[in-house]
Amino acid sequence: EVHLAETGGGLIQPGGSLRLSCEVSGFNISDYYMSWVRQTAVKGLEWVSIIYSGGDTFYADSVRGRFTISRDKSKNTLYLQMNWLRAEDMGVYYCARARGGSRFYFDSWGQGTLVTVSS
Amino acid sequence: VVLTQSPGTLSLSPGERATLSCRTSQSISSSYLAWYQHRPGQAPRLLIYGSSRRATDIPDRFSGSGSGTDFTLTINRVDREDLAVYYCHQYLVSPYSFGQGTKLEI
């Protein structure tokens, strides 16, 4: 059974850093495209980042240069390192498996982890 | 691409049919539109991809249709378990984008 579980959210001050983790069971993350999607009060659902099975990474304009997606194949875990956090980054962050190639949709999601950016 | 979903909230009784609309600000053909169900406290779930293809284990009460800029998710014989927010998602034009959601009340 496919299962994705995000951890690492919490309260952080503007300008701070957080690392989110997504532990996956039921498939090997290195065989798939894996993504982060967030839900904020202002923008609703928003794609954040993706890592291809081959290792290429891509980011939304709003987070490029501040966020880094990575994976640990041995732990079957996806990460999102978030630096220089802003108030507009506050929301629930979901990891998701992406299908369909470079034009991707999301066929499995975790339950999300809440990131609160506030002083 | 901006996706506009309507209605914002849909209130139905069990057994009725739900018709949810998603309109895109530019054409995305019929191949790059997905629908997700997000029940309270649960992970979002893929219902439909490619506008009309049901995802694995999705009952045939759920169907998707449309092309160009107008898409529809139909739920036949709604049940209390269908209480959720439903989102459409286009994945043709980068950055891929989501609608704001339709809340289905039963």
Side-chain angles (χ1 to χ4, degrees):
Chain A
E1 182 184 359
V2 171
H3 187 66
L4 298 82
E6 304 92 338
T7 56
L11 174 63
I12 189 74
Q13 292 186 341
S17 297
L18 270 181
R19 189 177 82 155
L20 306 183
S21 300
C22 174
E23 293 188 25
V24 175
S25 58
F27 67 94
N28 292 322
I29 63 170
S30 57
D31 293 336
Y32 290 86
Y33 291 11
M34 296 297 297
S35 194
W36 290 96
V37 178
R38 68 184 179 184
Q39 186 167 29
T40 67
V42 174
K43 290 189 174 182
L45 285 169
E46 180 187 21
W47 169 75
V48 173
S49 180
I50 192 166
I51 182 166
Y52 285 2
S53 51
D56 289 343
T57 59
F58 299 90
Y59 300 91
D61 289 346
S62 57
V63 307
R64 187 176 297 113
R66 300 188 298 123
F67 290 12
T68 303
I69 190 172
S70 63
R71 65 190 178 193
D72 185 328
K73 299 178 184 180
S74 65
K75 295 181 179 179
N76 215 34
T77 298
L78 181 73
Y79 301 101
L80 186 68
Q81 177 67 44
M82 305 187 296
N83 300 328
W84 298 107
L85 282 160
R86 306 167 179 167
E88 55 264 36
D89 296 320
M90 185 163 61
V92 178
Y93 284 70
Y94 300 94
C95 65
R97 186 172 71 179
R99 307 300 300 274
S102 60
R103 291 196 168 111
F104 48 85
Y105 55 93
F106 308 105
D107 75 336
S108 296
W109 299 63
Q111 289 196 309
T113 187
L114 177 63
V115 172
T116 302
V117 183
S118 175
S119 55
Chain B
V1 178
V2 176
L3 283 70
T4 303
Q5 293 187 239
S6 61
T9 302
L10 184 58
S11 298
L12 295 173
S13 299
E16 293 188 309
R17 173 182 296 172
T19 303
L20 287 68
S21 172
C22 176
R23 178 163 292 177
T24 61
S25 60
Q26 63 186 79
S27 177
I28 58 167
S29 82
S30 62
S31 302
Y32 302 102
L33 194 287
W35 289 92
Y36 303 93
Q37 177 192 62
H38 194 185
R39 291 170 172 155
Q42 296 188 19
R45 179 171 73 147
L46 174 68
L47 297 175
I48 301 288
Y49 65 99
S51 179
S52 60
R53 300 183 179 191
R54 263 189 304 276
T56 303
D57 295 331
I58 300 304
D60 60 9
R61 297 189 298 110
F62 293 87
S63 62
S65 63
S67 64
T69 61
D70 290 296
F71 298 86
T72 300
L73 174 69
T74 302
I75 310 172
N76 288 315
R77 304 180 306 281
V78 298
D79 184 86
R80 296 192 190 284
E81 69 177 12
D82 300 329
L83 185 153
V85 180
Y86 293 82
Y87 296 95
C88 56
H89 165 218
Q90 70 83 18
Y91 50 101
L92 175 65
V93 178
S94 182
Y96 305 149
S97 48
F98 296 83
Q100 83 281 15
T102 290
K103 183 177 182 181
L104 178 59
E105 296 179 339
I106 309 295

